[in-house]
Amino acid sequence: MSKPKYIFVTGGVSSSLGKGIISASLAKLLQSRGLNVTIQKLDPYINVDPGTLNPYEHGECYVTSDGAETDLDLGHYERFLNVETSQANNVTTGKIYQTVIEEERKGKFLGKTVQVIPHITNEIKRRIQLLGNNNSLDVIITEIGGTVGDIESLPYIESVRQLRWELGKANSLVIHLTLIPYLSAAKELKTKPTQHSVKTLMESGINADILVCRTEHQISDEIKNKLALFCNVEVDSVIQSIDASTIYDVPLLMKKEKLDQVVLRKLEISNFKEANLEKWTDFVNKLKFPKNTIKIGLIGKYVELQDSYKSILESLIHAGSINETKVEVCSIHSEFIDNDQINNEISNFDGVIVAPGFGSRGIEGKIKAIKCARENNIPFFGICLGMQMAVVEFARNIIGLKDANSTEMNKKTLNPVISLMEEQKTISEMGGTMRLGSWECNINEQSKVFEIYNSKLINERHRHRWELNNNYLNQLENAGLNSVGINAKTGLVEIIELPENDWFIGVQFHPEYQSTVEMPHPLFVSFVKACLSYNKSKK
Ligand code: GLN
């Protein structure tokens, strides 16, 4: 077979239908048949990357090990496939235009008018095929953000049209994800919106090969026949995607619907093995039928939008499944925490996570929640800003440095226990300039985290500008806060723990970016276990 084969996933009728999950599920099925698959996301917005977007706008910003700030769908790809993604897996309109404009300034197109077709579409096609330069890949799934018909996605759709032509029919296919709404008054599923969106796609010169239909009710054969007839697809290429109780069910549902079989046939891929999803099924079963329940508080300031802390929530699901424990996450808005909430809610949790974040809003609430966890020996997990605030809390309440703070929150504090990293001091541009991506960290063997990782050297991903100020390290350690993970190159403190407490750990990095179904992150696994023991000890 010629390699790689390309699968394009477009969306119709409505946003938020879950193109990322469908793409990741299909990739999982193909991977389980022995194929080497990767997924790419094309985002139609003009930001060069989502790093400068507020989580309210676009959900969490996911970070790859090579330091790309990307769309949160890449998190799903990694969690499903257990394979790393990279800079090349997320392309935005901003990136495309930036490249083309830089080339124009250099004189690459001298004498020519630079236009959407062919210059922008050529750059899109180049970016899509960039991943294909890696010869080991069998299939590349490219998810096109937005909904068909959006002005912003037109150049992408046009590029797909051109590429299909250039690659040939058997080397590429288009999956259109659409919605079949149920009208309760008529007690009927409606196909018309899908017919219209397929038609819009056709107006751009693209015939969908497969329709994946999101639905709340079973789609009858009659409806499948109707969709096939009106949308120019074969009947077995109308795939039902019924609402699932967990996203991790979707690969199993897609297998039942034979999505992978139809894809393999259309792409003329024949030398594959049977899909084996035994391990995955075991994970889903443990998730669905837990033996225990714990309740933990997630303290942050973007709690209104669940997607803001996507990777943390998914990591807790992975860790919950392996511990056969349902992890109920209670989101707490750090800006409004008062003593009442501390006494009646936070102090009753089985564990407390203080989330990453930026800026001073809600900081004092986070510090109060940390104090409560520390004093009551409630398992505490501080991630990035959460770790920094644990240091501030300790400095204020144990060492007695009443105005201790991070200079991010108070530039003039007399006790800057968290300060700006040296190399950050001269940086003025905001985009892509944080300390990003994977860094090595040495772990102290006399620590809890050593037991947890069972390793002296770890690699974790970062996204921050501030650090623990090493001028305060002695004072902190003498008072009982241990620095147990140190970056070998920079000497920065990456992990702190309080040995006095049963489970009190803060990490400067983001472990949540590395938790997958196959390899739940050891820190989350251990945290959930600690919460469970704490919960049992209360009874
Ligand atoms: N705002 C803090 C910093 O930049 C923490 C960042 C984070 O939580 N990702 O260092």
Side-chain angles (χ1 to χ4, degrees):
M1 96 186 191
S2 81
K3 282 201 321 193
K5 307 267 185 180
Y6 290 87
I7 299 173
F8 301 102
V9 181
T10 60
V13 178
S14 162
S15 57
S16 306
L17 291 183
K19 282 196 296 278
I21 301 298
I22 289 293
S23 302
S25 300
L26 172 60
K28 185 75 216 166
L29 289 178
L30 298 177
Q31 184 195 50
S32 75
R33 287 173 173 277
L35 294 166
N36 203 351
V37 193
T38 193
I39 319 182
Q40 178 185 46
K41 172 93 191 263
L42 306 182
D43 272 313
Y45 52 72
I46 299 181
N47 302 61
V48 171
D49 60 46
T52 52
L53 282 174
N54 187 318
Y56 287 130
E57 293 269 330
H58 202 68
E60 163 192 281
C61 172
Y62 185 77
V63 178
T64 59
S65 68
D66 68 349
E69 295 178 281
T70 72
D71 185 81
L72 57 77
D73 271 342
L74 269 76
H76 290 308
Y77 307 162
E78 291 203 10
R79 287 187 281 272
F80 275 51
L81 295 181
N82 198 35
V83 170
E84 284 192 357
T85 55
S86 68
Q87 300 272 357
N89 292 73
N90 193 192
V91 174
T92 68
T93 296
K95 271 198 188 118
I96 301 281
Y97 272 81
Q98 192 181 42
T99 308
V100 173
I101 291 170
E102 274 168 13
E103 286 178 340
E104 185 274 335
R105 290 290 81 186
K106 283 187 197 142
K108 184 175 169 189
F109 313 113
L110 224 48
K112 290 265 180 289
T113 309
V114 180
Q115 293 177 300
V116 173
I117 306 172
H119 301 96
I120 295 298
T121 49
N122 280 351
E123 178 57 17
I124 295 174
K125 288 192 291 181
R126 187 186 73 81
R127 297 261 184 172
I128 292 175
Q129 289 175 294
L130 212 54
L131 286 167
N133 293 343
N134 165 357
N135 269 335
S136 62
L137 284 172
D138 300 308
V139 179
I140 297 174
I141 301 180
T142 298
E143 177 193 342
I144 299 178
T147 308
V148 163
D150 293 350
I151 292 176
E152 294 98 335
S153 28
L154 281 177
Y156 292 105
I157 299 289
E158 167 60 12
S159 305
V160 171
R161 186 194 68 79
Q162 294 177 17
L163 260 182
R164 293 219 63 199
W165 215 207
E166 291 161 21
L167 294 166
K169 259 248 170 249
N171 295 322
S172 67
L173 65 79
V174 173
I175 297 178
H176 190 57
L177 176 63
T178 174
L179 174 72
I180 311 290
Y182 180 76
L183 287 194
S184 42
K187 294 199 173 53
E188 250 185 296
L189 286 166
K190 290 293 181 192
T191 64
K192 193 72 87 191
T194 297
Q195 294 179 38
H196 280 298
S197 106
V198 169
K199 208 163 156 193
T200 308
L201 205 52
M202 279 179 185
E203 280 165 10
S204 307
I206 295 179
N207 250 358
D209 300 282
I210 297 173
L211 293 181
V212 175
C213 305
R214 279 297 303 272
T215 175
E216 289 173 14
H217 299 269
Q218 295 286 343
I219 297 179
S220 65
D221 284 347
E222 191 191 339
I223 289 182
K224 282 192 177 173
N225 287 328
K226 189 171 170 189
L227 281 165
L229 179 71
F230 280 102
C231 301
N232 277 1
V233 294
E234 291 166 284
V235 182
D236 75 347
S237 304
V238 178
I239 305 284
Q240 158 181 297
S241 170
I242 200 152
D243 285 0
S245 60
T246 153
I247 54 170
Y248 297 105
D249 245 344
V250 181
L252 304 174
L253 291 173
M254 288 302 104
K255 183 170 184 247
K256 233 194 210 151
E257 291 290 317
K258 304 191 171 68
L259 174 61
D260 53 334
Q261 288 186 29
V262 177
V263 164
L264 291 169
R265 188 185 76 224
K266 288 191 185 285
L267 288 177
E268 297 176 10
I269 302 176
S270 48
N271 51 339
F272 52 80
K273 52 178 194 179
E274 273 307 302
N276 179 354
L277 289 178
E278 229 169 84
K279 264 192 179 159
W280 189 277
T281 310
D282 183 47
F283 162 81
V284 174
N285 283 341
K286 280 196 180 138
L287 183 65
K288 283 189 177 167
F289 308 106
K291 295 189 177 133
N292 313 284
T293 303
I294 55 167
K295 197 167 180 178
I296 68 151
L298 174 63
I299 324 283
K301 68 171 172 181
Y302 311 114
V303 290
E304 292 89 345
L305 186 72
Q306 282 284 307
D307 275 359
S308 305
Y309 301 113
K310 195 80 200 162
S311 293
I312 293 181
L313 297 176
E314 298 304 323
S315 302
L316 288 169
I317 289 176
H318 305 157
S321 163
I322 211 167
N323 280 296
E324 298 186 69
T325 297
K326 178 174 180 180
V327 183
E328 274 179 22
V329 180
C330 199
S331 298
I332 303 285
H333 202 306
S334 56
E335 213 180 340
F336 312 115
I337 292 178
D338 54 18
N339 290 342
D340 224 30
Q341 200 174 16
I342 292 281
N343 296 333
N344 299 322
E345 200 174 1
I346 299 181
S347 58
N348 292 326
F349 287 138
D350 302 316
V352 170
I353 293 183
V354 173
F358 295 85
S360 59
R361 192 164 60 90
I363 268 329
E364 295 305 321
K366 288 188 173 171
I367 293 174
K368 273 190 198 149
I370 296 167
K371 180 168 184 276
C372 168
R374 182 178 55 73
E375 290 179 343
N376 294 295
N377 199 15
I378 302 171
F380 166 80
F381 194 4
I383 302 178
C384 207
L385 184 66
M387 171 264 199
Q388 297 176 351
M389 289 307 113
V391 174
V392 170
E393 192 279 325
F394 189 85
R396 285 186 190 176
N397 298 327
I398 297 291
I399 305 184
L401 306 172
K402 288 291 167 225
D403 74 332
N405 215 331
S406 160
T407 53
E408 180 181 7
M409 319 307 162
N410 176 6
K411 274 201 184 81
K412 298 201 182 102
T413 173
L414 293 175
N415 286 296
V417 290
I418 305 293
S419 58
L420 200 57
M421 283 182 275
E422 211 38 55
E423 70 269 24
Q424 287 286 332
K425 291 186 176 153
T426 48
I427 292 175
S428 57
E429 281 196 16
M430 297 299 276
T433 56
M434 277 186 253
R435 178 183 181 224
L436 290 166
S438 204
W439 289 75
E440 282 186 346
C441 165
N442 287 320
I443 293 194
N444 179 338
E445 285 180 63
Q446 310 307 317
S447 66
K448 188 172 225 30
V449 282
F450 177 71
E451 269 171 47
I452 295 173
Y453 278 99
N454 195 19
S455 171
K456 281 196 288 189
L457 184 69
I458 58 163
N459 253 297
E460 292 281 2
R461 301 183 196 173
H462 296 71
R463 182 171 188 250
H464 68 122
R465 295 185 203 279
W466 276 264
E467 60 169 318
L468 190 152
N469 182 346
N470 275 338
N471 293 336
Y472 286 86
L473 199 52
N474 276 342
Q475 226 175 327
L476 290 164
E477 295 217 315
N478 290 338
L481 180 144
N482 288 354
S483 75
V484 290
I486 306 284
N487 184 304
K489 280 210 184 99
T490 60
L492 294 185
V493 174
E494 305 275 28
I495 313 176
I496 55 130
E497 56 182 50
L498 292 185
E500 282 276 298
N501 285 40
D502 288 339
W503 211 103
F504 190 107
I505 294 175
V507 291
Q508 184 57 79
F509 46 78
H510 293 262
E512 70 273 22
Y513 294 145
Q514 293 207 91
S515 186
T516 69
V517 167
E518 244 163 78
M519 301 217 311
H521 195 286
L523 281 175
F524 281 93
V525 174
S526 168
F527 173 68
V528 167
K529 204 167 166 195
C531 298
L532 190 58
S533 323
Y534 178 77
N535 169 288
K536 292 202 165 141
S537 74
K538 283 195 295 193
K539 284 177 183 158

